Each structure stands twice: as structure tokens, then as C-alpha cells.
Amino acid sequence: MAVASAAPLAMNGAIKMATNSQAYLEGTKVKQTKSLIAYLCRNFYNKGWVAGTGGSITIKVHDNSISKPQQLIVMSYSGVLKERMVEEDMYVLSSNGSVLSTPLATSYPHKPPKYSDKITHTEMIKGIQGHSYYDELMVPIKENTAHERELPESLTEAIKAYPKTMAVLVRNHGIYVGGDSWISAKTQAECYHYLFDAAVKLNQLGLDWTTPTHGLIHNSNGALSSIRNFKMSAKAGALASNGDIEPLRRCIVLDIEGTTTPISFVTDVLFPYARDNVRRHLDATYDSAETQEDIMLLRAQVQEDLENGVAGAVPIPSNDAGKEEVIAALVTNVEAMIKADRKITALKELQGHIWQTGFKNNELEGVVFDDVPKALERWAASGIKVYIYSSGSRLAQRLLFGYTNYGDLRKYLCGFFDTTVGNKKETKSYHEITASLGVDNPSEILFVTDVYQEAIAAKPAGLEVIISVRPGNGALPDNHGFRTIKSFSEI
């Protein structure tokens, strides 16, 4: 990595190596800060306060010989499991945010390291009143004082400067939330952890955690839920309705076609709609940035298909040939891709944008099996996170579950995976999903699909696998070795 020369710099009366020099970056102060972050990441994970790979923990390098405005910043980067964080997994930034030192290359899936940007364009920001997805969330940090009574003046100034801010962080003290209310950072984290954990356990015992009396939960037919059927064991898992012990699950990943949704809806409704509206969509949106990006992806895919001799592929002329010539070639290629049921990102992205118009114009309505909504609601209430993994684009997935015959079901879903994480018939795709979900063990993830080859790919990655047997699904091989279900009520 490139760093500035190690020229000496006078600071506070002492001779100090430049903070962006190689010697200083490899020095004791920076190493101590890296070690502290690695320790905190592991400790926070073990306490259940953080999970997965997202976000960053950032600390300034404390060095009394360096003025505070010039002190370096050490930041853990997104993409590394918190419990596996080591000193080498850190960025070192200058006081103005420029990168001085980059983490080592990651192991599989070999993604380049990335450090967290400003807090903006994040779904969670919408949970703070007065903020939107596009806002930048600014939280002022004030120096602590010996006595709380000395803080109001500086806090008032901070709140006036950032009127939308919900809290002010005070170094080494905690979070000021207005009025006389103080919550130490440690106490706040412990309280939330305790309350969330208690709520999950109450629900598992069949107790209603939303009321002070914690009455028993009633099921849809008015009968009291059996505590026996909700009782959980961290080692053995859940007691199933048939008396068998099921594995402990933290996440469920669902396929769509043939699993949550009839194959006929995809083949007889969605695909024909996309095929019949390709030309209309491209003609109406040709000059938009979104469609131009779709065209770029299709050009790259078609060029690859031509080189590999894929049937149905025809050259796409340059833009100089004119809009009509380009669209005609695109339509020919897309129709051939749809006919061959190609599971490729370029096609899926375009289809998703075509379907978006159809759903929003009420020309399309998503269809799910009757048992799906109740199962999604039940899993969500039990604290199980549910995700979708489909060859369709994430946009198409959100549309299908957002406009169903049972209304908007996205409130029960935690995320969407598509072919950008890999082909569904390749084991490495399921390793990628496991890393993204950040579970302790891949066996805590249940994958439900109707495709035998996908089940075969997910099993070596350590996931629990169930095959969905629905009307219209293809036949399974004899002695396939997987558990099968006909309804989500069996899970």
C-alpha cells in the first residue's frame, strides 16, 4: 500500500513520526487500537449485541502526543464476520477520512474490502421520525465533563445545530435523549438485549409479551396455544406438531417458483407478460438511465452468447444504427432467452423492470399458495428471519410479494437474494448466503426449494434442506434422501 514518507513532525514539543508514515501505521498505538476493535467485535458478538458482517466499529487512535483533530481513525470493514475479526481486518483513515491503510484481501468469496460510508440511503433511517431514506443522519459527539450539570449548555448548542438529531453522544458517558433522561451506552445495550430476549422467550412459551399480564396467546380458532408445542431447547430445537424434534432454526430461505408460488403463475402469467411487453417497455423507456443499464447488461450477455455459440443469439448493433434497430435486436434476443428459461442476471433485471410496470398498473397480481401467509406470520412471530432466494431479480421478488392475492407480505420478509450471489445450483452460492446471514452454524438455516439440483447444491454448504412438493412441480428422483412437504404448515 502507498503511504507518505516517514519525515519527522514536531507535535506538542516532541518529535513524532508523521501519522501517515509506514512506521507510525505499524506502530504500537495503531496496533493497540486494532486489537481493541477485534476484541470488542468478538465480545459484542458473543453477547448477542451484533451479528453478521454489516457495519463498522470505529475508534480514534488515542495518542497524547497528537492533537485530537489530527488523530488517526481505525475502522473495521463490512464483509467480515464479527466473531472472526482480527487486527488485519481494519482500515486506518486520516482525520479527514482519507484511506491510509487497507485490510488484507479476504478469503472466499474474494470480495474487495469496503468501509462504511456516511449514514445515508439506509432503510433503518426511516425508523427515526423526521428522517427519510435519502437523508444523512448526523449525530454530534460532545466532550464529557466532570459533572452532568455542566453539560446542558453544550448539549443545547448541539441540538440547535442538528435539530433533526434524536440523541447526542457524550464521550465516556452515554446518550442524552432530552430533558433529564440519560442512558449510558452500556446500560442501553443491555436493556434492549434483555427485553428482546425476554420477548422471544415469552412468545415461544405461548405468552403474549405485548400486554402486562402476559396472557396466553390464542390461535385462529380461539383455542389456547399449547405451551408444550412452543417450548424450545437451544440444543435440541423445537418440538414439532408430530412430536419429532426439529433442528434449531434462526433463518428460513425460500425459493419462489414451485415453493411459495405455483409454477403455472410464473410460466403462464409472468413470463408471457414480459415477453409480450419487451418492445413496448424498451420503446417507452429507451432513454432512461435504468433501461440503458439494462441494455448494457444485455449487450455483454449477448456478446458472450455469440462467442459460445448459444442458439437464438443475434448481434446487437451499436446505438449509431438507431433506436429501432437496437430494440429489434434486443427483442429477438430476449424472446430467445425467455423461451430457453435462461437464469441470467441481464434477462432477470429487464424482466423485473417490465413487471414493475405491470404490478403498479394493476395488470399483474402476485399469487402465493394459501398456506404461505400464515406460515410467514407464524415464523416472524417466533423470531425466525425469513429470506427469499430466487433466480428472479430482487426487484421482481419484492414486487411479487408486495402485490399478492393476500396483500403485501413483505413485512414478514427480512431480505432478498438473487443470482448476483451465484447460481442456485452451485454450492458456493449457499456459502455466500450463509456468510451474509452471519449465523453461528449453517445448519441453523433452512432452505426450502422444489428443485432437486438446488437441494443437492445447498446440502454440502451445511444448510438444512426441505423439498417442496406442490401441484405442477417436477418429479423427484427415487431415494433422493431429502425430507419433503406439501404445505408450509408442516414446518
Side-chain angles (χ1 to χ4, degrees):
M1 70 193 75
V3 296
S5 62
L9 183 67
M11 292 181 179
N12 297 337
I15 299 299
K16 189 71 180 179
M17 301 299 290
T19 55
N20 59 349
S21 69
Q22 186 71 45
Y24 191 81
L25 293 177
E26 296 177 355
T28 301
K29 296 295 185 181
V30 174
K31 286 185 177 180
Q32 287 176 345
T33 307
K34 288 182 176 181
S35 178
L36 175 59
I37 291 181
Y39 167 78
L40 290 175
C41 286
R42 292 191 297 270
N43 202 32
F44 289 172
Y45 175 84
N46 291 331
K47 288 181 176 294
W49 293 353
V50 299
T53 64
S56 67
I57 294 179
T58 306
I59 298 179
K60 267 195 171 185
V61 179
H62 181 69
D63 189 338
N64 289 331
S65 65
I66 308 294
S67 63
K68 287 186 178 180
Q70 300 300 320
Q71 288 175 351
L72 300 183
I73 300 167
V74 176
M75 176 185 291
S76 63
Y77 77 90
S78 298
V80 173
L81 294 173
K82 291 294 180 284
E83 71 274 23
R84 299 180 185 177
M85 190 76 68
V86 295
E87 293 180 16
E88 289 76 13
D89 297 327
M90 310 286 172
Y91 276 94
V92 179
L93 310 177
S94 68
S95 57
N96 63 9
S98 60
V99 178
L100 301 178
S101 175
T102 304
L104 299 176
T106 62
S107 56
Y108 178 85
H110 309 296
K111 287 188 173 182
K114 176 186 177 183
Y115 65 91
S116 295
D117 300 318
K118 295 179 181 179
I119 306 177
T120 184
H121 287 67
T122 301
E123 288 291 329
M124 288 181 289
I125 290 179
K126 296 190 296 187
I128 301 177
Q129 187 176 8
H131 289 72
S132 72
Y133 173 80
Y134 299 100
D135 285 347
E136 283 188 3
L137 183 60
M138 305 295 290
V139 179
I141 301 177
K142 306 300 293 183
E143 291 296 333
N144 197 8
T145 62
H147 304 284
E148 291 181 5
R149 62 177 178 270
E150 299 172 0
L151 283 168
E153 183 176 349
S154 61
L155 293 174
T156 301
E157 293 175 358
I159 293 173
K160 286 181 178 179
Y162 300 94
K164 286 189 175 182
T165 297
M166 300 297 290
V168 179
L169 300 184
V170 180
R171 296 185 195 278
N172 304 320
H173 190 107
I175 302 175
Y176 173 71
V177 294
D180 296 324
S181 301
W182 283 92
I183 305 175
S184 73
K186 180 175 184 291
T187 301
Q188 185 190 52
E190 289 176 344
C191 288
Y192 280 134
H193 175 73
Y194 171 79
L195 291 173
F196 291 155
D197 188 54
V200 171
K201 284 182 169 60
L202 286 169
N203 189 283
Q204 291 169 350
L205 292 171
L207 301 176
D208 184 0
W209 57 270
T210 63
T211 62
T213 56
H214 301 309
L216 288 174
I217 297 175
H218 289 72
N219 60 27
S220 56
N221 61 11
L224 292 177
S225 298
S226 168
I227 292 180
R228 183 180 68 87
N229 288 338
F230 278 88
K231 191 172 183 180
M232 300 290 290
S233 164
K235 294 183 178 180
L239 186 62
S241 57
N242 61 2
D244 294 335
I245 298 296
E246 292 192 347
L248 176 66
R249 302 188 185 108
R250 292 178 57 188
C251 304
I252 295 178
V253 178
L254 301 173
D255 171 51
I256 293 179
E257 186 178 356
T259 301
T260 67
T261 300
I263 291 178
S264 58
F265 173 74
V266 178
T267 59
D268 299 343
V269 178
L270 288 184
F271 284 177
Y273 184 91
R275 182 191 63 231
D276 296 342
N277 287 277
V278 173
R279 187 180 299 275
R280 184 181 74 168
H281 174 79
L282 291 174
D283 185 67
T285 64
Y286 186 80
D287 294 323
S288 69
E290 183 177 80
T291 296
Q292 284 299 312
E293 187 172 342
D294 288 344
I295 292 174
M296 181 182 68
L297 289 173
L298 287 166
R299 283 186 186 277
Q301 183 63 56
V302 169
Q303 182 60 38
E304 181 181 327
D305 291 347
L306 290 170
E307 294 172 358
N308 294 329
V310 175
V314 300
I316 300 175
S318 66
N319 290 339
D320 295 338
K323 173 180 174 179
E324 293 302 323
E325 293 294 325
V326 173
I327 290 178
L330 289 169
V331 170
T332 300
N333 281 287
V334 170
E335 288 179 345
M337 292 174 180
I338 293 176
K339 184 177 180 180
D341 193 19
R342 300 278 300 277
K343 310 294 186 182
I344 49 178
T345 300
L347 173 63
K348 298 304 179 181
E349 288 294 316
L350 177 64
Q351 285 178 321
H353 294 139
I354 296 173
W355 290 329
Q356 184 175 36
T357 301
F359 279 108
K360 291 188 175 180
N361 290 344
N362 295 319
E363 297 172 352
L364 290 172
E365 181 183 66
V367 175
V368 297
F369 291 110
D370 293 340
D371 55 272
V372 171
K374 290 182 179 179
L376 294 179
E377 183 179 7
R378 173 166 50 86
W379 294 334
S382 298
I384 297 175
K385 296 181 178 180
V386 183
Y387 300 83
I388 302 298
Y389 181 28
S390 171
S391 57
S393 68
R394 286 181 293 178
L395 170 61
Q397 297 173 34
R398 290 194 297 268
L399 290 169
L400 192 153
F401 286 97
Y403 297 85
T404 79
N405 51 326
Y406 284 92
D408 190 346
L409 300 179
R410 290 173 296 183
K411 59 187 175 183
Y412 302 122
L413 303 175
C414 296
F416 303 88
F417 296 100
D418 60 10
T419 53
T420 57
V421 303
N423 189 292
K424 295 183 69 179
K425 297 180 182 179
E426 296 180 358
T427 298
K428 65 180 182 180
S429 304
Y430 300 91
H431 285 300
E432 175 75 7
I433 290 176
T434 299
S436 298
L437 298 185
V439 296
D440 292 328
N441 193 306
S443 64
E444 296 176 16
I445 304 173
L446 167 64
F447 176 52
V448 186
T449 180
D450 68 305
V451 180
Y452 174 68
Q453 292 85 349
E454 294 175 6
I456 288 293
K459 194 67 176 177
L463 279 68
E464 180 194 359
V465 181
I466 291 177
I467 295 183
S468 172
V469 179
R470 302 282 195 175
N473 287 9
L476 295 172
D478 294 335
N479 302 318
H480 53 75
F482 291 97
R483 176 188 169 188
T484 62
I485 59 166
K486 295 182 179 179
S487 168
F488 284 178
S489 63
E490 301 175 48
I491 301 176

